[in-house]
Amino acid sequence: MMLRNVFLSLFASLALALPCMQARAQEYPSKPVTVVLVLAAGTGLDVAVRTWAAQLTQSLGRQVVIENRPGADGILAVNAVKSAPADGHTLLVATSGALAINQAIYKQLPYDPAKDFVPASLYVKSPFVLVVHPSLPVRTAAELVAYVKARPGQLNYGAAGASSAPRLSMELFAQHFGLNINVVPYKNSIQVVTDLAAGQVPMAFSEAGAAQQFIRGNRLRALAVSSLARFNSLPDVPTLAEATARPGLEAASWHALMAPTATPRPVLNRLHGEMARAMKLPEVNKAIANLDLIPLTPASTEDTQQYIAAEAKKWGDLVRKLGLAGSQ
């Protein structure tokens, strides 16, 4: 009898809470929505966010305000949203670096991506291009693998940052094929591409936007893109998986719209639905593709959580193998 009363009490509480939750979703947003970005204004991530934010401003009926908080590998932006009220009015846009790599790199990270945040939408992949200097006698990724294997420890690649996504992408590539190559560290990705085009280093994984002018000018040779889908701007360049006959091989960054974990589910569902609608718009899709990013139809919250967890394991395992765990 007592157990029955407990169940009845719980049921009654849920029944009372449901209309409140529905009302909260219908009232949302009640003020402007601030989206905090981990990167600076003018970056591909920033331009992509401003593209879909304009659509959300219309559909939500409230201004979507963009706030750039670059620095500290995304930690500044993440902490700002972590400490904000979990009501859907302060959101985060972060990359795989902040959400899947930092926790392996940092000894003490002031947030836990899986516990502190929930994905509203993973809407873009940001892949890289495997490029070589034309003096290197290879024209495919498979030929590059054979060339490097025949010269263990003799070849270098350029990368900005010890734990940057392009650097880890090259190391993942090397791990998959048993390659022994050395990293030449740079301060930023522009210097990497400039030196690569000048023949100072023979290869790198580069952001597509930075490498495009050199590829078109035949100063760099593109061998593969690191995503599972090809670039619109490089339609003849195969994916890494295609070029190496390794299905599923991918080394891409991505952008995700995140909310604090305690955000009400109806509010989260509203955001997910609005993002799915925005990403299907031809003008949004085209604008993002023109940034050399790959627009996605957002998967469900649960599927996205599983994907982010898998990415965290993939990059975390690599970071530990490279001896970079807890290096910052």
Side-chain angles (χ1 to χ4, degrees):
M1 186 68 177
M2 184 178 294
L3 186 60
R4 179 173 176 273
N5 289 338
V6 169
F7 279 121
L8 286 174
S9 177
L10 286 172
F11 181 79
S13 298
L14 289 171
L16 288 171
L18 186 59
C20 295
M21 292 173 65
Q22 291 172 338
R24 195 180 305 174
Q26 290 170 358
E27 293 168 1
Y28 173 81
S30 59
K31 58 183 178 180
V33 176
T34 298
V35 180
V36 182
L37 277 55
V38 297
L39 297 182
T43 58
L45 177 142
D46 174 76
V47 177
V49 170
R50 292 177 190 275
T51 300
W52 56 252
Q55 297 296 327
L56 260 63
T57 291
Q58 296 179 26
S59 61
L60 292 174
R62 295 282 183 174
Q63 186 69 32
V64 176
V65 180
I66 308 304
E67 182 179 320
N68 299 89
R69 287 207 185 187
D73 291 332
I75 294 174
L76 296 179
V78 176
N79 274 345
V81 179
K82 177 187 172 183
S83 60
D87 57 7
H89 290 95
T90 304
L91 304 170
L92 170 74
V93 168
T95 65
S96 57
L99 298 173
I101 298 174
N102 277 359
Q103 58 203 112
I105 293 291
Y106 280 83
K107 291 178 183 177
Q108 292 183 321
L109 194 65
Y111 65 90
D112 184 321
K115 292 180 180 178
D116 296 331
F117 294 94
V118 60
S121 174
L122 194 152
Y123 60 90
V124 150
K125 283 194 177 177
S126 177
F128 309 105
V129 185
L130 177 59
V131 285
V132 299
H133 188 266
S135 63
L136 216 60
V138 298
R139 293 195 169 272
T140 68
E143 288 179 1
L144 178 63
V145 168
Y147 187 81
V148 176
K149 272 193 170 183
R151 296 160 180 81
Q154 298 177 35
L155 294 169
N156 303 323
Y157 71 92
S163 59
S164 67
R167 191 262 165 112
L168 293 181
S169 294
M170 182 62 84
E171 291 292 348
L172 187 72
F173 176 65
Q175 177 183 286
H176 267 269
F177 296 99
L179 307 181
N180 182 0
I181 50 178
N182 308 303
V183 61
V184 178
Y186 283 83
K187 290 183 178 180
N188 60 63
S189 57
I190 299 300
Q191 290 178 336
V192 174
V193 179
T194 301
D195 269 15
L196 184 56
Q200 300 298 315
V201 287
M203 72 187 87
F205 269 104
S206 169
E207 288 88 352
Q212 283 279 13
Q213 61 174 320
F214 297 108
I215 295 170
R216 294 193 188 101
N218 296 316
R219 296 178 65 189
L220 290 179
R221 182 178 298 140
L223 304 185
V225 296
S226 68
S227 56
L228 295 178
R230 296 191 182 196
F231 275 135
N232 285 352
S233 59
L234 296 170
D236 297 327
V237 178
T239 68
L240 201 55
E242 291 171 336
T244 61
R246 292 286 180 98
L249 177 57
E250 183 179 47
S253 184
W254 34 265
H255 306 174
L257 177 65
M258 310 292 288
T261 300
T263 302
R265 188 58 187 250
V267 171
L268 194 68
N269 290 344
R270 173 87 189 274
L271 287 167
H272 182 274
E274 296 296 352
M275 282 297 296
R277 184 197 63 80
M279 294 304 296
K280 287 180 182 178
L281 294 173
E283 61 269 32
V284 172
N285 209 278
K286 183 178 180 181
I288 290 177
N290 286 343
L291 296 169
D292 288 317
L293 301 171
I294 297 177
L296 306 173
T297 299
S300 70
T301 296
E302 290 74 21
D303 286 347
T304 302
Q305 286 173 316
Q306 291 178 15
Y307 176 77
I308 293 175
E311 285 283 283
K313 184 180 187 308
K314 177 176 77 175
W315 295 119
D317 287 348
L318 180 61
V319 164
R320 285 182 282 274
K321 186 170 184 177
L322 294 171
L324 296 173
S327 58
Q328 295 191 46

